[in-house]
Amino acid sequence: MRASSTSSPSTPVPTLSPLRTRTALLALALGGFGIGATEFVAMGLLPQIAQDLLPQVWAASSEQAIAQSGTLISAYALGVVVGAPTIAAAVARFPRRRLLVIFTAAFTIGTILSAVAPTFELAVVARFIAALPHGAYFGIAALVAAQLMGPGKRGQGVALVLSGLTVANVIGVPLITALGQQSGWRVAYLAVTAIFAAATLAVALLVPEQQGDADATIRRELSALRRGQVWFALGIGSIGFGGFFAVYTYVAPLLTDVAGLAESVVPWALVCVGVGMTVGNFVGGVLADRGSLRAVLRMFPVFILAMAGLALTASTPVTLFLFLFLVGALASAISPAIQTRLMDVAGESQTLAAALNHSALNIGNSMGAALGAAVISAGLGFVAPSWVGVGLAIAGLLLALASLAVERRSQRGGPTAEPVLVADADVEDAIVEDAFPTPVHAS
């Protein structure tokens, strides 16, 4: 039996003019822009970082040095995984704008530490520290945006916040990557620091105050982790989405070593991925509002085919760019669907649910980067991470199908039934019936 839909009990936001709402959403997206830049700029600068921080390893083997420098990406992802649930659960009751300002200021400090780290080991620690507010920022910003957007547009509100991250991959990451190639990777991270400083000011001035959930406690927020469907959603995000990061982490050597393109082409490839992510993000937001699990089930098979196409045609520049666009678009379209699904099944633990998505995706980030490094270190070449991505995405699809099967059994009152709180029960009923129609028996 389904429980009724539950919303956050925070104080309603006064009605805002359309202009005021748009500027508030843009301020939230600017924070996401900075996060996208700090998370993804390393992807195109791994060779420069490896040469600077691992000179002895580089002299012996550039492949080994690049693979080892992927640890920086895994460290950032691990910071998100640790920070998202712990920070989000602890601060759910506090005013949201104040929290967002604190988070953007923390990003500013953490990125400066990354830029000035004198050794590889300290750079790894700095990336971990810089990542701690990542999930909590996106989680709370998603709740603010959903309230600003109004009923029935939660997925689109999530997508608007994530749009800063995707636009960063169109504009910020390629430009900062080019800057890093010309002036050094440290200068690139200083540029990201400036973006976070601007975001701190924008959030403080433009985002209206929203009260947190006065009844929230750490225990209540963490109670979401007792729900089986929450774990299914986390598994779909962490394992299935890991395929994207297996590809994206090593995009620079894929272009230069496999396709034989010049290093100067790498920023253009990042633009291609970023445009795909931006398009996919907004499409995914609309699809999520029509049924989050249905969106996941429909997009994963195409995502798998896109990564397989990339692996098979990576040596041809035209098809390489085409499949990079498709991989970026499909991965980004899946993200708001997974976040909306988590919010659907988490009951009253909405702050934690909104943040847990980013823990899941960054487990995927860490897993994809690490498995990609493993196959490269094993001598399988720079195409091998794409095949790792295919395998991870297949596993994510299987988890989504398992989630649907369990939910169907729950709706029928089976022994594993558990309450599922969703935004639109009719939508989720339609998902189940579409995938597993009830047989009609002749009398």
Side-chain angles (χ1 to χ4, degrees):
M1 181 177 182
R2 286 180 182 273
S4 60
S5 177
T6 303
S7 60
S8 174
S10 58
T11 304
V13 178
T15 302
L16 303 176
S17 69
L19 177 61
R20 184 79 171 83
T21 299
R22 284 195 295 270
T23 56
L25 290 169
L26 284 173
L28 295 174
L30 182 59
F33 185 93
I35 293 172
T38 198
E39 182 174 16
F40 295 126
V41 76
M43 312 297 193
L45 295 175
L46 281 184
Q48 289 78 13
I49 295 172
Q51 281 183 282
D52 183 30
L53 295 179
L54 298 167
Q56 294 180 333
V57 180
W58 180 270
S61 168
S62 60
E63 271 195 8
Q64 292 292 332
I66 290 172
Q68 187 174 337
S69 65
T71 305
L72 292 170
I73 296 165
S74 295
Y76 184 92
L78 182 60
V80 180
V81 173
V82 172
T86 52
I87 295 175
V91 303
R93 69 181 186 277
F94 295 112
R96 291 170 177 166
R97 180 180 63 189
R98 188 182 311 167
L99 290 172
L100 293 172
V101 170
I102 292 171
F103 294 153
T104 52
F107 276 121
T108 306
I109 296 169
T111 309
I112 289 176
L113 293 175
S114 303
V116 302
T119 67
F120 180 75
E121 291 75 17
L122 288 176
V124 170
V125 173
R127 296 312 295 149
F128 175 84
I129 292 171
L132 291 172
H134 177 125
Y137 176 88
F138 272 127
I140 291 175
L143 294 176
V144 172
Q147 201 162 21
L148 290 172
M149 290 290 291
K153 296 184 177 180
R154 183 177 49 176
Q156 294 172 65
V158 170
L160 283 167
V161 173
L162 291 174
S163 69
L165 188 151
T166 60
V167 171
N169 283 277
V170 180
I171 301 171
V173 173
L175 288 177
I176 295 171
T177 298
L179 175 66
Q181 289 174 341
Q182 295 297 318
S183 304
W185 68 271
R186 296 180 189 277
V187 175
Y189 274 107
L190 290 175
V192 177
T193 300
I195 295 171
F196 278 127
T200 303
L201 184 62
V203 170
L205 295 177
L206 300 175
V207 175
E209 188 60 273
Q210 286 187 15
Q211 295 304 309
D213 185 347
D215 297 325
T217 64
I218 294 177
R219 176 179 293 182
R220 196 195 76 179
E221 289 295 312
L222 293 177
S223 68
L225 299 178
R226 294 200 297 265
R227 294 172 175 265
Q229 287 293 350
V230 167
W231 286 104
F232 271 121
L234 291 174
I236 294 165
S238 58
I239 297 174
F241 205 78
F244 171 68
F245 289 105
V247 172
Y248 196 31
T249 300
Y250 303 101
V251 68
L254 189 65
L255 267 78
T256 55
D257 289 45
V258 177
L261 299 172
E263 190 178 77
S264 59
V265 179
V266 172
W268 293 106
L270 298 178
V271 169
C272 182
V273 176
V275 171
M277 292 178 71
T278 302
V279 173
N281 177 60
F282 286 108
V283 172
V286 173
L287 293 177
D289 283 331
R290 297 176 182 174
S292 55
L293 189 54
R294 186 198 320 235
V296 169
L297 288 168
R298 288 180 174 177
M299 287 185 286
F300 255 115
V302 190
F303 183 43
I304 292 165
L305 291 174
M307 283 190 290
L310 177 68
L312 292 170
T313 64
S315 60
T316 304
V318 173
T319 54
L320 174 60
F321 271 74
L322 171 63
F323 282 112
L324 283 174
F325 172 86
L326 291 174
V327 168
L330 290 159
S332 190
I334 291 169
S335 180
I338 294 173
Q339 177 150 338
T340 305
R341 176 65 177 170
L342 274 166
M343 295 166 74
D344 285 347
V345 299
E348 293 181 325
S349 308
Q350 290 294 293
T351 302
L352 181 65
L356 278 175
N357 181 49
H358 300 280
S359 280
L361 299 187
N362 279 274
I363 290 173
N365 187 339
S366 182
M367 183 187 305
L371 292 176
V375 294
I376 292 170
S377 296
L380 299 178
F382 290 115
V383 173
S386 298
W387 290 115
V388 169
V390 170
L392 290 173
I394 290 172
L397 175 59
L398 293 175
L399 281 172
L401 291 170
S403 173
L404 184 58
V406 170
E407 183 164 302
R408 179 184 180 231
R409 186 175 184 181
S410 177
Q411 288 178 323
R412 292 184 173 179
T416 61
E418 63 176 59
V420 179
L421 281 74
V422 298
D424 188 342
D426 292 337
V427 169
E428 296 299 335
D429 288 340
I431 298 171
V432 175
E433 290 304 318
D434 283 352
F436 293 98
T438 303
V440 177
H441 300 283
S443 56

